[in-house]
Amino acid sequence: MSGRVCNVPIAHIEMLWPQVKPFVERVLALDRIGRYEPVDILCSLLAGTTQLWISWNPDEKVVEAATITEIINYPRAKELRIWLVSGRNMRAWVFEMRDLLEEFARAHGCAAMTGAMREGWLRIGGAGWKKTGVTIEKDIR
């Protein structure tokens, strides 16, 4: 890998999962509806339907952040959905992660990148990112 951030090959996901799982759990805990459990994310990664990106801290030799993406295929376009982002020491990896995800999206013919995140991520997104709506939900169980 060129920097701290890399896309994790499927063959290495299970080896890294013990370090990645707490980051996934932190994000999933915010979902009041409970759409996913960590094992669901692991299964999608192993099936190749989603992608795992990590930031590796070379000093501590640990995963310091994890991002899960998914390529969505629409009839006339593809998009890279930035699905889950969690980590620590964000200043060390966030811009490299952003740039690598954009490079990946372009290489896979995606017309757009999307993500449902807190508004503060707009500052990190940089040029070209804009707020196009809000996500609202109601638990009706």
Side-chain angles (χ1 to χ4, degrees):
M1 88 182 128
S2 62
R4 297 173 83 94
V5 176
C6 70
N7 180 297
V8 178
I10 292 173
H12 298 160
I13 289 171
E14 287 184 284
M15 175 183 66
L16 289 170
W17 186 248
Q19 289 190 59
V20 170
K21 184 179 176 186
F23 295 116
V24 170
E25 288 173 329
R26 188 178 320 157
V27 174
L28 295 182
L30 300 173
D31 178 11
R32 295 176 301 207
I33 294 175
R35 293 170 180 89
Y36 299 94
E37 290 291 328
V39 68
D40 302 320
I41 306 303
L42 177 59
C43 288
S44 72
L45 290 166
L46 294 174
T49 58
T50 58
Q51 303 81 40
L52 172 62
W53 305 81
I54 62 164
S55 174
W56 179 258
N57 183 313
D59 299 326
E60 298 177 24
K61 297 185 181 359
V62 296
V63 173
E64 65 186 349
T67 298
I68 309 293
T69 60
E70 177 181 29
I71 294 176
I72 310 284
N73 290 294
Y74 295 103
R76 302 190 187 277
K78 294 192 320 189
E79 79 180 38
L80 181 70
R81 178 172 71 130
I82 303 168
W83 188 14
L84 303 172
V85 180
S86 181
R88 58 183 180 82
N89 196 21
M90 190 169 82
R91 286 187 181 103
W93 55 265
V94 72
F95 296 109
E96 184 181 355
M97 180 78 73
R98 176 199 66 192
D99 296 346
L100 198 56
L101 293 178
E102 186 170 334
E103 184 179 304
F104 176 83
R106 288 181 197 278
H108 286 80
C110 294
M113 293 172 58
T114 63
M117 301 170 193
R118 295 186 314 268
E119 261 187 81
W121 284 98
L122 280 171
R123 291 189 306 273
I124 292 166
W129 284 89
K130 62 183 176 179
K131 182 177 175 182
T132 59
V134 294
T135 299
I136 62 174
E137 70 180 24
K138 178 181 180 181
D139 186 346
I140 58 171
R141 290 178 279 172

